[in-house]
PDB file of all heavy atoms in Angstrom:
ATOM      1  N   MET A   6     103.477 172.380  80.847  1.00 98.00           N
ATOM      2  CA  MET A   6     102.705 171.235  80.646  1.00 98.00           C
ATOM      3  C   MET A   6     102.910 170.787  79.183  1.00 98.00           C
ATOM      4  O   MET A   6     102.771 171.526  78.226  1.00 98.00           O
ATOM      5  CB  MET A   6     101.258 171.469  80.922  1.00 98.00           C
ATOM      6  CG  MET A   6     100.374 170.389  80.551  1.00 98.00           C
ATOM      7  SD  MET A   6      98.595 170.977  80.810  1.00 98.00           S
ATOM      8  CE  MET A   6      97.676 169.356  80.518  1.00 98.00           C
ATOM      9  N   PHE A   7     103.283 169.541  78.947  1.00 98.00           N
ATOM     10  CA  PHE A   7     103.450 169.006  77.628  1.00 98.00           C
ATOM     11  C   PHE A   7     102.204 168.127  77.217  1.00 98.00           C
ATOM     12  O   PHE A   7     101.833 167.329  78.118  1.00 98.00           O
ATOM     13  CB  PHE A   7     104.707 168.181  77.509  1.00 98.00           C
ATOM     14  CG  PHE A   7     105.969 169.050  77.526  1.00 98.00           C
ATOM     15  CD1 PHE A   7     106.531 169.291  78.753  1.00 98.00           C
ATOM     16  CD2 PHE A   7     106.527 169.599  76.458  1.00 98.00           C
ATOM     17  CE1 PHE A   7     107.705 170.148  78.893  1.00 98.00           C
ATOM     18  CE2 PHE A   7     107.600 170.323  76.391  1.00 98.00           C
ATOM     19  CZ  PHE A   7     108.196 170.660  77.629  1.00 98.00           C
ATOM     20  N   ILE A   8     101.724 168.353  76.116  1.00 98.00           N
ATOM     21  CA  ILE A   8     100.533 167.650  75.640  1.00 98.00           C
ATOM     22  C   ILE A   8     100.616 167.246  74.216  1.00 98.00           C
ATOM     23  O   ILE A   8     101.585 167.572  73.572  1.00 98.00           O
ATOM     24  CB  ILE A   8      99.232 168.608  75.719  1.00 98.00           C
ATOM     25  CG1 ILE A   8      99.343 169.774  74.799  1.00 98.00           C
ATOM     26  CG2 ILE A   8      99.016 169.028  77.143  1.00 98.00           C
ATOM     27  CD1 ILE A   8      98.139 170.481  74.497  1.00 98.00           C
ATOM     28  N   THR A   9      99.660 166.513  73.739  1.00 97.00           N
ATOM     29  CA  THR A   9      99.419 166.295  72.302  1.00 97.00           C
ATOM     30  C   THR A   9      97.931 166.585  72.141  1.00 97.00           C
ATOM     31  O   THR A   9      97.125 166.477  73.037  1.00 97.00           O
ATOM     32  CB  THR A   9      99.701 164.876  71.776  1.00 97.00           C
ATOM     33  OG1 THR A   9      98.843 163.977  72.540  1.00 97.00           O
ATOM     34  CG2 THR A   9     101.205 164.491  71.994  1.00 97.00           C
ATOM     35  N   SER A  10      97.548 167.003  70.898  1.00 95.00           N
ATOM     36  CA  SER A  10      96.199 167.352  70.574  1.00 95.00           C
ATOM     37  C   SER A  10      95.203 166.170  70.680  1.00 95.00           C
ATOM     38  O   SER A  10      93.935 166.432  70.945  1.00 95.00           O
ATOM     39  CB  SER A  10      96.055 168.109  69.246  1.00 95.00           C
ATOM     40  OG  SER A  10      96.515 167.148  68.263  1.00 95.00           O
ATOM     41  N   TRP A  11      95.738 165.049  70.409  1.00 96.00           N
ATOM     42  CA  TRP A  11      94.884 163.842  70.343  1.00 96.00           C
ATOM     43  C   TRP A  11      94.726 163.032  71.706  1.00 96.00           C
ATOM     44  O   TRP A  11      94.088 162.055  71.818  1.00 96.00           O
ATOM     45  CB  TRP A  11      95.258 162.943  69.273  1.00 96.00           C
ATOM     46  CG  TRP A  11      96.774 162.673  69.302  1.00 96.00           C
ATOM     47  CD1 TRP A  11      97.810 163.369  68.596  1.00 96.00           C
ATOM     48  CD2 TRP A  11      97.521 161.658  70.079  1.00 96.00           C
ATOM     49  NE1 TRP A  11      99.038 162.864  68.943  1.00 96.00           N
ATOM     50  CE2 TRP A  11      98.890 161.869  69.832  1.00 96.00           C
ATOM     51  CE3 TRP A  11      97.099 160.718  71.025  1.00 96.00           C
ATOM     52  CZ2 TRP A  11      99.832 161.028  70.347  1.00 96.00           C
ATOM     53  CZ3 TRP A  11      98.059 160.002  71.577  1.00 96.00           C
ATOM     54  CH2 TRP A  11      99.414 160.096  71.265  1.00 96.00           C
ATOM     55  N   CYS A  12      95.488 163.520  72.695  1.00 97.00           N
ATOM     56  CA  CYS A  12      95.518 162.748  73.962  1.00 97.00           C
ATOM     57  C   CYS A  12      94.279 163.015  74.812  1.00 97.00           C
ATOM     58  O   CYS A  12      94.067 164.206  75.237  1.00 97.00           O
ATOM     59  CB  CYS A  12      96.846 163.230  74.762  1.00 97.00           C
ATOM     60  SG  CYS A  12      96.812 162.617  76.422  1.00 97.00           S
ATOM     61  N   PRO A  13      93.437 162.006  75.111  1.00 97.00           N
ATOM     62  CA  PRO A  13      92.374 162.192  75.984  1.00 97.00           C
ATOM     63  C   PRO A  13      92.692 162.526  77.383  1.00 97.00           C
ATOM     64  O   PRO A  13      91.906 163.329  78.013  1.00 97.00           O
ATOM     65  CB  PRO A  13      91.608 160.819  75.942  1.00 97.00           C
ATOM     66  CG  PRO A  13      92.619 159.773  75.617  1.00 97.00           C
ATOM     67  CD  PRO A  13      93.629 160.494  74.785  1.00 97.00           C
ATOM     68  N   TYR A  14      93.889 162.154  77.944  1.00 97.00           N
ATOM     69  CA  TYR A  14      94.220 162.440  79.279  1.00 97.00           C
ATOM     70  C   TYR A  14      94.653 163.854  79.365  1.00 97.00           C
ATOM     71  O   TYR A  14      94.512 164.534  80.436  1.00 97.00           O
ATOM     72  CB  TYR A  14      95.362 161.610  79.721  1.00 97.00           C
ATOM     73  CG  TYR A  14      94.951 160.161  79.772  1.00 97.00           C
ATOM     74  CD1 TYR A  14      95.588 159.145  78.990  1.00 97.00           C
ATOM     75  CD2 TYR A  14      93.967 159.721  80.619  1.00 97.00           C
ATOM     76  CE1 TYR A  14      95.181 157.786  78.974  1.00 97.00           C
ATOM     77  CE2 TYR A  14      93.487 158.385  80.692  1.00 97.00           C
ATOM     78  CZ  TYR A  14      94.141 157.442  79.846  1.00 97.00           C
ATOM     79  OH  TYR A  14      93.712 156.122  79.908  1.00 97.00           O
ATOM     80  N   CYS A  15      95.192 164.469  78.251  1.00 97.00           N
ATOM     81  CA  CYS A  15      95.574 165.850  78.215  1.00 97.00           C
ATOM     82  C   CYS A  15      94.256 166.756  78.348  1.00 97.00           C
ATOM     83  O   CYS A  15      94.237 167.753  79.049  1.00 97.00           O
ATOM     84  CB  CYS A  15      96.372 166.173  76.968  1.00 97.00           C
ATOM     85  SG  CYS A  15      97.936 165.310  76.838  1.00 97.00           S
ATOM     86  N   LYS A  16      93.281 166.298  77.613  1.00 97.00           N
ATOM     87  CA  LYS A  16      92.032 167.078  77.728  1.00 97.00           C
ATOM     88  C   LYS A  16      91.393 166.969  79.100  1.00 97.00           C
ATOM     89  O   LYS A  16      90.879 167.981  79.635  1.00 97.00           O
ATOM     90  CB  LYS A  16      90.975 166.506  76.696  1.00 97.00           C
ATOM     91  CG  LYS A  16      91.408 166.774  75.303  1.00 97.00           C
ATOM     92  CD  LYS A  16      90.518 166.104  74.256  1.00 97.00           C
ATOM     93  CE  LYS A  16      90.752 166.432  72.884  1.00 97.00           C
ATOM     94  NZ  LYS A  16      92.083 166.448  72.299  1.00 97.00           N
ATOM     95  N   GLN A  17      91.528 165.855  79.806  1.00 97.00           N
ATOM     96  CA  GLN A  17      91.049 165.690  81.078  1.00 97.00           C
ATOM     97  C   GLN A  17      91.893 166.527  82.040  1.00 97.00           C
ATOM     98  O   GLN A  17      91.281 167.258  82.980  1.00 97.00           O
ATOM     99  CB  GLN A  17      91.209 164.288  81.623  1.00 97.00           C
ATOM    100  CG  GLN A  17      90.181 163.242  80.995  1.00 97.00           C
ATOM    101  CD  GLN A  17      90.451 161.856  81.483  1.00 97.00           C
ATOM    102  OE1 GLN A  17      91.416 161.455  82.115  1.00 97.00           O
ATOM    103  NE2 GLN A  17      89.539 161.007  81.074  1.00 97.00           N
ATOM    104  N   ALA A  18      93.158 166.637  81.854  1.00 97.00           N
ATOM    105  CA  ALA A  18      93.967 167.421  82.727  1.00 97.00           C
ATOM    106  C   ALA A  18      93.656 168.876  82.609  1.00 97.00           C
ATOM    107  O   ALA A  18      93.607 169.628  83.539  1.00 97.00           O
ATOM    108  CB  ALA A  18      95.527 167.094  82.404  1.00 97.00           C
ATOM    109  N   TYR A  19      93.423 169.278  81.342  1.00 95.00           N
ATOM    110  CA  TYR A  19      93.029 170.751  81.186  1.00 95.00           C
ATOM    111  C   TYR A  19      91.817 171.063  81.853  1.00 95.00           C
ATOM    112  O   TYR A  19      91.643 172.137  82.530  1.00 95.00           O
ATOM    113  CB  TYR A  19      92.980 170.965  79.667  1.00 95.00           C
ATOM    114  CG  TYR A  19      92.717 172.420  79.355  1.00 95.00           C
ATOM    115  CD1 TYR A  19      93.786 173.303  79.430  1.00 95.00           C
ATOM    116  CD2 TYR A  19      91.490 172.918  78.994  1.00 95.00           C
ATOM    117  CE1 TYR A  19      93.543 174.714  79.241  1.00 95.00           C
ATOM    118  CE2 TYR A  19      91.295 174.190  78.674  1.00 95.00           C
ATOM    119  CZ  TYR A  19      92.296 175.153  78.797  1.00 95.00           C
ATOM    120  OH  TYR A  19      92.043 176.455  78.661  1.00 95.00           O
ATOM    121  N   ALA A  20      90.773 170.251  81.776  1.00 97.00           N
ATOM    122  CA  ALA A  20      89.467 170.429  82.479  1.00 97.00           C
ATOM    123  C   ALA A  20      89.672 170.361  83.957  1.00 97.00           C
ATOM    124  O   ALA A  20      89.053 171.257  84.601  1.00 97.00           O
ATOM    125  CB  ALA A  20      88.464 169.381  81.992  1.00 97.00           C
ATOM    126  N   MET A  21      90.494 169.526  84.513  1.00 97.00           N
ATOM    127  CA  MET A  21      90.724 169.507  85.940  1.00 97.00           C
ATOM    128  C   MET A  21      91.435 170.783  86.374  1.00 97.00           C
ATOM    129  O   MET A  21      91.178 171.308  87.459  1.00 97.00           O
ATOM    130  CB  MET A  21      91.588 168.310  86.320  1.00 97.00           C
ATOM    131  CG  MET A  21      90.798 167.001  86.241  1.00 97.00           C
ATOM    132  SD  MET A  21      91.766 165.586  86.800  1.00 97.00           S
ATOM    133  CE  MET A  21      91.793 164.661  85.328  1.00 97.00           C
ATOM    134  N   MET A  22      92.445 171.252  85.604  1.00 97.00           N
ATOM    135  CA  MET A  22      93.153 172.498  85.955  1.00 97.00           C
ATOM    136  C   MET A  22      92.176 173.683  86.014  1.00 97.00           C
ATOM    137  O   MET A  22      92.122 174.432  86.898  1.00 97.00           O
ATOM    138  CB  MET A  22      94.204 172.865  84.907  1.00 97.00           C
ATOM    139  CG  MET A  22      95.416 171.969  84.978  1.00 97.00           C
ATOM    140  SD  MET A  22      96.763 172.511  83.919  1.00 97.00           S
ATOM    141  CE  MET A  22      96.121 172.920  82.405  1.00 97.00           C
ATOM    142  N   LYS A  23      91.230 173.681  85.063  1.00 96.00           N
ATOM    143  CA  LYS A  23      90.239 174.767  85.006  1.00 96.00           C
ATOM    144  C   LYS A  23      89.339 174.748  86.197  1.00 96.00           C
ATOM    145  O   LYS A  23      89.046 175.683  86.857  1.00 96.00           O
ATOM    146  CB  LYS A  23      89.426 174.632  83.699  1.00 96.00           C
ATOM    147  CG  LYS A  23      88.633 175.838  83.335  1.00 96.00           C
ATOM    148  CD  LYS A  23      88.043 175.658  81.869  1.00 96.00           C
ATOM    149  CE  LYS A  23      87.407 176.848  81.482  1.00 96.00           C
ATOM    150  NZ  LYS A  23      86.887 176.750  80.050  1.00 96.00           N
ATOM    151  N   GLU A  24      88.990 173.546  86.613  1.00 96.00           N
ATOM    152  CA  GLU A  24      88.039 173.299  87.774  1.00 96.00           C
ATOM    153  C   GLU A  24      88.703 173.779  89.024  1.00 96.00           C
ATOM    154  O   GLU A  24      88.196 174.464  89.931  1.00 96.00           O
ATOM    155  CB  GLU A  24      87.680 171.773  87.850  1.00 96.00           C
ATOM    156  CG  GLU A  24      86.789 171.433  89.033  1.00 96.00           C
ATOM    157  CD  GLU A  24      86.528 169.946  89.041  1.00 96.00           C
ATOM    158  OE1 GLU A  24      86.616 169.243  88.101  1.00 96.00           O
ATOM    159  OE2 GLU A  24      86.246 169.559  90.218  1.00 96.00           O
ATOM    160  N   LEU A  25      89.960 173.369  89.235  1.00 97.00           N
ATOM    161  CA  LEU A  25      90.775 173.675  90.344  1.00 97.00           C
ATOM    162  C   LEU A  25      90.871 175.250  90.461  1.00 97.00           C
ATOM    163  O   LEU A  25      90.819 175.796  91.630  1.00 97.00           O
ATOM    164  CB  LEU A  25      92.126 173.007  90.410  1.00 97.00           C
ATOM    165  CG  LEU A  25      92.081 171.561  90.835  1.00 97.00           C
ATOM    166  CD1 LEU A  25      93.440 170.961  90.576  1.00 97.00           C
ATOM    167  CD2 LEU A  25      91.702 171.468  92.346  1.00 97.00           C
ATOM    168  N   LYS A  26      91.221 175.868  89.359  1.00 96.00           N
ATOM    169  CA  LYS A  26      91.448 177.367  89.391  1.00 96.00           C
ATOM    170  C   LYS A  26      90.043 177.987  89.669  1.00 96.00           C
ATOM    171  O   LYS A  26      90.117 179.061  90.281  1.00 96.00           O
ATOM    172  CB  LYS A  26      91.961 177.797  88.011  1.00 96.00           C
ATOM    173  CG  LYS A  26      93.448 177.415  87.856  1.00 96.00           C
ATOM    174  CD  LYS A  26      93.964 178.009  86.522  1.00 96.00           C
ATOM    175  CE  LYS A  26      95.406 177.852  86.474  1.00 96.00           C
ATOM    176  NZ  LYS A  26      95.965 178.832  85.567  1.00 96.00           N
ATOM    177  N   ASN A  27      88.951 177.465  89.200  1.00 95.00           N
ATOM    178  CA  ASN A  27      87.672 178.109  89.509  1.00 95.00           C
ATOM    179  C   ASN A  27      87.288 178.014  90.964  1.00 95.00           C
ATOM    180  O   ASN A  27      86.721 178.865  91.582  1.00 95.00           O
ATOM    181  CB  ASN A  27      86.539 177.440  88.591  1.00 95.00           C
ATOM    182  CG  ASN A  27      86.651 177.992  87.275  1.00 95.00           C
ATOM    183  OD1 ASN A  27      87.211 179.009  86.923  1.00 95.00           O
ATOM    184  ND2 ASN A  27      86.125 177.226  86.276  1.00 95.00           N
ATOM    185  N   LYS A  28      87.615 176.797  91.600  1.00 95.00           N
ATOM    186  CA  LYS A  28      87.350 176.523  92.925  1.00 95.00           C
ATOM    187  C   LYS A  28      88.201 177.168  94.049  1.00 95.00           C
ATOM    188  O   LYS A  28      87.930 177.273  95.148  1.00 95.00           O
ATOM    189  CB  LYS A  28      87.176 175.096  93.239  1.00 95.00           C
ATOM    190  CG  LYS A  28      86.009 174.383  92.530  1.00 95.00           C
ATOM    191  CD  LYS A  28      85.976 172.908  92.880  1.00 95.00           C
ATOM    192  CE  LYS A  28      84.794 172.160  92.286  1.00 95.00           C
ATOM    193  NZ  LYS A  28      84.784 170.733  92.555  1.00 95.00           N
ATOM    194  N   ASN A  29      89.461 177.377  93.634  1.00 94.00           N
ATOM    195  CA  ASN A  29      90.541 177.799  94.572  1.00 94.00           C
ATOM    196  C   ASN A  29      91.200 179.080  94.072  1.00 94.00           C
ATOM    197  O   ASN A  29      92.056 178.995  93.156  1.00 94.00           O
ATOM    198  CB  ASN A  29      91.618 176.704  94.708  1.00 94.00           C
ATOM    199  CG  ASN A  29      90.995 175.436  95.200  1.00 94.00           C
ATOM    200  OD1 ASN A  29      90.633 175.333  96.255  1.00 94.00           O
ATOM    201  ND2 ASN A  29      91.022 174.406  94.327  1.00 94.00           N
ATOM    202  N   PRO A  30      90.883 180.203  94.680  1.00 92.00           N
ATOM    203  CA  PRO A  30      91.399 181.473  94.196  1.00 92.00           C
ATOM    204  C   PRO A  30      92.877 181.527  94.262  1.00 92.00           C
ATOM    205  O   PRO A  30      93.542 182.262  93.413  1.00 92.00           O
ATOM    206  CB  PRO A  30      90.839 182.486  95.234  1.00 92.00           C
ATOM    207  CG  PRO A  30      89.708 181.849  95.909  1.00 92.00           C
ATOM    208  CD  PRO A  30      89.879 180.346  95.793  1.00 92.00           C
ATOM    209  N   GLN A  31      93.590 180.762  95.182  1.00 93.00           N
ATOM    210  CA  GLN A  31      95.007 180.831  95.214  1.00 93.00           C
ATOM    211  C   GLN A  31      95.668 180.166  93.944  1.00 93.00           C
ATOM    212  O   GLN A  31      96.834 180.522  93.698  1.00 93.00           O
ATOM    213  CB  GLN A  31      95.554 180.157  96.545  1.00 93.00           C
ATOM    214  CG  GLN A  31      95.434 178.622  96.527  1.00 93.00           C
ATOM    215  CD  GLN A  31      94.097 178.074  97.155  1.00 93.00           C
ATOM    216  OE1 GLN A  31      93.184 178.799  97.173  1.00 93.00           O
ATOM    217  NE2 GLN A  31      94.239 176.870  97.642  1.00 93.00           N
ATOM    218  N   TYR A  32      94.884 179.405  93.215  1.00 96.00           N
ATOM    219  CA  TYR A  32      95.528 178.833  92.029  1.00 96.00           C
ATOM    220  C   TYR A  32      95.258 179.656  90.782  1.00 96.00           C
ATOM    221  O   TYR A  32      95.790 179.337  89.662  1.00 96.00           O
ATOM    222  CB  TYR A  32      94.893 177.423  91.704  1.00 96.00           C
ATOM    223  CG  TYR A  32      95.106 176.416  92.787  1.00 96.00           C
ATOM    224  CD1 TYR A  32      94.162 175.425  93.123  1.00 96.00           C
ATOM    225  CD2 TYR A  32      96.270 176.496  93.666  1.00 96.00           C
ATOM    226  CE1 TYR A  32      94.462 174.363  94.032  1.00 96.00           C
ATOM    227  CE2 TYR A  32      96.488 175.463  94.604  1.00 96.00           C
ATOM    228  CZ  TYR A  32      95.574 174.467  94.810  1.00 96.00           C
ATOM    229  OH  TYR A  32      95.837 173.546  95.840  1.00 96.00           O
ATOM    230  N   ALA A  33      94.295 180.629  90.830  1.00 92.00           N
ATOM    231  CA  ALA A  33      93.876 181.412  89.711  1.00 92.00           C
ATOM    232  C   ALA A  33      94.983 182.082  88.943  1.00 92.00           C
ATOM    233  O   ALA A  33      94.963 182.166  87.722  1.00 92.00           O
ATOM    234  CB  ALA A  33      92.828 182.409  90.135  1.00 92.00           C
ATOM    235  N   ASN A  34      96.057 182.519  89.693  1.00 92.00           N
ATOM    236  CA  ASN A  34      97.143 183.277  89.085  1.00 92.00           C
ATOM    237  C   ASN A  34      98.297 182.404  88.623  1.00 92.00           C
ATOM    238  O   ASN A  34      99.273 182.919  88.024  1.00 92.00           O
ATOM    239  CB  ASN A  34      97.596 184.361  89.981  1.00 92.00           C
ATOM    240  CG  ASN A  34      96.607 185.450  90.261  1.00 92.00           C
ATOM    241  OD1 ASN A  34      95.808 185.774  89.304  1.00 92.00           O
ATOM    242  ND2 ASN A  34      96.613 185.945  91.467  1.00 92.00           N
TER     243      ASN A  34
END
Side-chain angles (χ1 to χ4, degrees):
M6 176 186 185
F7 289 91
I8 65 162
T9 60
S10 61
W11 48 266
C12 170
Y14 298 118
C15 296
K16 289 174 179 41
Q17 287 176 352
Y19 185 74
M21 287 183 244
M22 288 189 317
K23 198 170 183 179
E24 178 183 336
L25 282 170
K26 285 184 171 202
N27 287 336
K28 288 183 178 180
N29 301 292
Q31 70 268 26
Y32 299 151
N34 293 326

